Amino acid sequence: MQETILILNFGSQYDQLIARRVRENNVFCRVVPYNINPRKIREISPKGIIFTGSPASTYKSNIKPKSEIFDLGIPILGICYGMQVIAHMLKGKVSKAKKREYGNTPVSILRNEKLFAGIPKKFICWMSHGDYVAKMPCGFERIASTGNTDIAAMADKKRNIWAVQFHPEVIHTRHGKQLFRNFLYKICGCSGDWTMGSLIKESIADIRASAKGGRVLLGLSGGVDSSVCAVLIHKAIGKKLTCIFVDNGLLRKNEGKRVQDVFRRNFRLNLRYVNASRRFLKKLKGVLDPERKRKIIGIEFIRVFEAEAKKLGKAEYLAQGTLYPDVIESRSALGGPSARIKTHHNVGGLPEKMKLKLIEPLKYLFKDEVRKLGLELGMPEEIIWRQPFPGPGLAVRVIGEVTKERLDILREVDRLVVIAMKKAGLYRKLWQSFAVLLPVKSVGVMGDERTYENAAALRMVTSEDAMTADWARVPYTILAELSNQIINEVKGVNRVVYDISSKPPSTIEWE
């Protein structure tokens, strides 16, 4: 059975960072709701459990795990709010701090226990809390402190419950990675056997069990996610997989031909090409709202798949390259609607009544893990290192109404952006680099004549996993050359602007 760490999410903005820190140590983990049923935990049989932080206060809210979790005999690590909820539930005391502690903070280790093995007695940690543990529960001892927080870490070694008030998952906490490694190996007894090789083996077994010998359809876009998903499933069930490439009219220039050439040459997959561009554009006519666009595109994809399934004979399953960030961003960590940022095509864009059952073998992986998986599967780098492309395609990069004319303009701009980034050696360094066609026109002068044409925005960001992103400081000379080329070569664009917003508060895509 695969070693697993469960991360109970109490609404932390850092839950995905915790997951990454665990996986960096070759240990698989899953982020689950804070109120997961203890019976389900027993079924999963995790090696350890981590409580995340939260914007909540223990004495004001009921955001807490089931009390039986402390009787399971499974090692627990509480982080920030996770530490406070442990203290609160085990009859300690949590109070509001007179002075909120935030940012880089010196911390002193009082007891060099397992959790702090190999870590200096004094180091810098990252604090972010307004409450604090005023009194520890019975059986706990103080193992670290700061100038403002007397109990910066505590432990009940008999019950194997450990907790820290600071955030070891963020890069600002020095030796945070070592702390996680200590918890995983010295406290939970993990062996670190989660590798890409073992993941492939387990995924193949899971896919075969899920498909149950039935036919599987997969929407192949040519992007990293769907491509890796296709090769992995093909490795598991062979000819039982049929890949369907839907030309929805929302793709990059010559994308259809490129995908067919690559996959028929390299992988000999069953690949069907469906030209449905008129169908999609007809449905999108007059639609301005981005959520409606995504819903329409998601529904039409499924309808196309279902129609193709009838032509192929009996098919019961639909495979998707859904990734972990897609799942997280499409639903609230606490189950409420307020935290949903936008619907992702692979997740929330599906109709409620769908005839095909879903298979999503990548849904617990981050993008960098998918790339590693693809390399392990022997896939060519031209596919593996493609930048992420949105499921709804250029429909969410044409702001406002989607028309063939506007799409053709954007396709030309997009082509020049990709060429420029590759020429400058930036394509693989950037998480994404693309153009957005804005729903505004501006006055320009070209050839001594007045023009009134479209404005295009360039969006280039750096990121590790799309959960956060920063705008890329691309050299001005490169931007100037690219802007000049776009305005001179793309008919219909006379102005180029550069997006300098980060995520959060903005998202990477404009819609």
Side-chain angles (χ1 to χ4, degrees):
M1 182 180 289
Q2 177 178 267
E3 289 183 341
T4 300
I5 296 292
L6 285 186
I7 300 171
L8 270 60
N9 184 12
F10 293 85
S12 170
Q13 61 179 315
Y14 298 136
D15 58 339
Q16 300 312 302
L17 281 178
I18 297 172
R20 295 188 67 81
R21 295 295 171 255
V22 173
R23 293 186 184 187
E24 285 170 356
N25 285 286
N26 291 13
V27 178
F28 181 71
C29 64
R30 285 175 55 188
V31 179
V32 297
Y34 68 89
N35 56 355
I36 182 174
N37 193 302
R39 190 180 333 124
K40 181 64 176 177
I41 296 177
R42 289 192 187 95
E43 290 175 8
I44 298 171
S45 188
K47 297 286 287 185
I49 299 172
I50 298 176
F51 292 0
T52 73
S54 174
S57 292
T58 57
Y59 48 82
K60 290 182 180 179
S61 71
N62 199 35
I63 298 175
K64 60 184 180 181
K66 305 293 184 183
S67 59
E68 298 93 324
I69 199 168
F70 298 110
D71 301 321
L72 296 176
I74 299 171
I76 294 173
L77 172 63
I79 297 174
C80 195
Y81 179 85
M83 171 170 160
Q84 295 166 12
V85 82
I86 289 171
H88 179 74
M89 292 183 68
L90 296 180
K91 299 183 179 179
K93 184 180 179 182
V94 178
S95 301
K96 184 176 181 62
K98 293 181 179 179
K99 183 179 180 182
R100 187 169 182 262
E101 195 170 34
Y102 183 85
N104 289 325
T105 306
V107 61
S108 299
I109 298 173
L110 306 177
R111 294 179 180 274
N112 196 14
E113 306 291 351
K114 293 179 181 179
L115 192 64
F116 295 126
I119 296 176
K121 289 188 175 181
K122 291 188 177 182
F123 62 97
I124 299 297
C125 72
W126 180 264
M127 285 286 194
S128 180
H129 66 103
D131 296 339
Y132 72 104
V133 175
K135 179 184 177 183
M136 292 181 292
C138 183
F140 280 79
E141 58 183 313
R142 185 170 62 114
I143 58 175
S145 66
T146 71
N148 291 324
T149 303
D150 190 46
I151 307 170
M154 63 182 191
D156 182 335
K157 289 180 285 185
K158 286 186 178 180
R159 285 189 284 182
N160 229 356
I161 302 175
W162 306 75
V164 294
Q165 184 59 67
F166 55 88
H167 288 271
E169 69 272 25
V170 302
I171 59 173
H172 310 291
T173 295
R174 298 173 190 174
H175 311 291
K177 292 184 179 181
Q178 182 63 43
L179 187 149
F180 276 105
R181 186 168 182 81
N182 289 341
F183 177 70
L184 297 172
Y185 287 93
K186 294 183 180 296
I187 295 172
C188 299
C190 293
S191 60
D193 59 358
W194 188 68
T195 62
M196 287 300 119
S198 67
L199 175 61
I200 291 172
K201 185 177 179 180
E202 290 159 5
S203 296
I204 287 173
D206 289 343
I207 292 165
R208 287 173 179 167
S210 298
K212 300 174 184 176
R215 184 185 294 274
V216 179
L217 301 182
L218 182 143
L220 183 62
S221 69
V224 180
D225 309 334
S226 67
S227 298
V228 172
C229 188
V231 173
L232 180 61
I233 294 175
H234 182 259
K235 194 174 181 68
I237 62 174
K239 293 182 179 179
K240 289 286 186 179
L241 170 69
T242 299
C243 294
I244 300 174
F245 179 80
V246 178
D247 186 346
N248 56 11
L250 309 171
L251 304 174
R252 288 169 167 168
K253 191 169 184 178
N254 298 324
E255 186 78 349
K257 184 179 183 303
R258 190 197 68 81
V259 169
Q260 291 182 78
D261 290 346
V262 168
F263 282 89
R264 285 181 175 148
R265 183 181 76 240
N266 287 283
F267 306 111
R268 299 180 182 179
L269 298 177
N270 290 332
L271 178 61
R272 292 175 66 90
Y273 173 83
V274 182
N275 189 342
S277 56
R278 289 185 180 179
R279 175 175 179 166
F280 278 82
L281 290 176
K282 184 179 179 181
K283 289 285 185 180
L284 291 168
K285 186 176 180 180
V287 177
L288 304 180
D289 180 72
E291 277 295 282
R292 279 196 65 204
K293 287 184 187 178
R294 290 173 179 271
K295 289 289 186 182
I296 288 169
I297 294 167
I299 290 170
E300 287 306 301
F301 262 112
I302 297 303
R303 297 298 172 245
V304 171
F305 287 142
E306 289 180 340
E308 290 302 309
K310 288 181 180 179
K311 296 177 185 177
L312 291 166
K314 187 178 181 181
E316 301 175 40
Y317 302 93
L318 170 66
Q320 290 195 136
T322 306
L323 302 191
Y324 218 175
D326 297 336
V327 175
I328 296 301
E329 285 197 350
S330 295
R331 69 187 182 200
S332 167
L334 301 179
S338 61
R340 191 179 74 182
I341 299 167
K342 58 187 176 183
T343 298
H344 283 264
H345 162 65
N346 282 351
V347 185
L350 301 178
E352 292 181 7
K353 293 183 179 179
M354 186 176 66
K355 296 176 182 178
L356 299 172
K357 300 172 186 175
L358 281 176
I359 293 178
E360 299 173 302
L362 310 179
K363 69 178 180 180
Y364 292 124
L365 300 183
F366 295 100
K367 178 71 76 172
D368 61 320
E369 293 170 335
V370 173
R371 294 191 200 279
K372 291 176 184 176
L373 179 60
L375 292 172
E376 187 77 18
L377 288 166
M379 296 176 66
E381 290 195 1
E382 65 179 295
I383 294 174
I384 295 303
W385 292 106
R386 289 199 83 192
Q387 291 180 353
F389 188 68
L394 297 179
V396 293
R397 293 180 180 173
V398 169
I399 310 302
E401 185 176 10
V402 179
T403 65
K404 186 178 184 303
E405 180 186 9
R406 300 188 75 207
L407 286 165
D408 287 341
I409 291 172
L410 183 57
R411 270 188 267 270
E412 289 301 321
V413 178
D414 176 84
R415 180 181 65 85
L416 294 177
V417 170
V418 173
I419 291 172
M421 291 304 99
K422 288 182 176 180
K423 180 182 176 182
L426 294 174
Y427 187 79
R428 281 178 57 169
K429 295 178 181 179
L430 298 174
W431 179 263
Q432 278 178 275
S433 51
F434 59 90
V436 177
L437 191 66
L438 303 181
V440 294
K441 290 188 174 183
S442 67
V443 173
V445 179
M446 300 178 75
D448 294 327
E449 293 184 1
R450 178 186 184 275
T451 63
Y452 189 60
E453 294 179 336
N454 298 281
L458 302 181
R459 179 68 160 149
M460 300 169 188
V461 299
T462 57
S463 179
E464 288 188 2
D465 52 25
M467 299 304 295
T468 60
D470 192 17
W471 63 278
R473 274 62 169 176
V474 176
Y476 293 156
T477 53
I478 295 174
L479 292 175
E481 184 178 339
L482 177 56
S483 173
N484 186 58
Q485 190 175 17
I486 291 170
I487 292 171
N488 280 306
E489 296 185 21
V490 182
K491 186 177 180 180
V493 176
N494 70 353
R495 189 177 299 272
V496 176
V497 298
Y498 190 56
D499 183 348
I500 59 169
S501 22
S502 297
K503 176 185 179 180
S506 302
T507 53
I508 296 176
E509 298 288 345
W510 278 42
E511 290 191 342

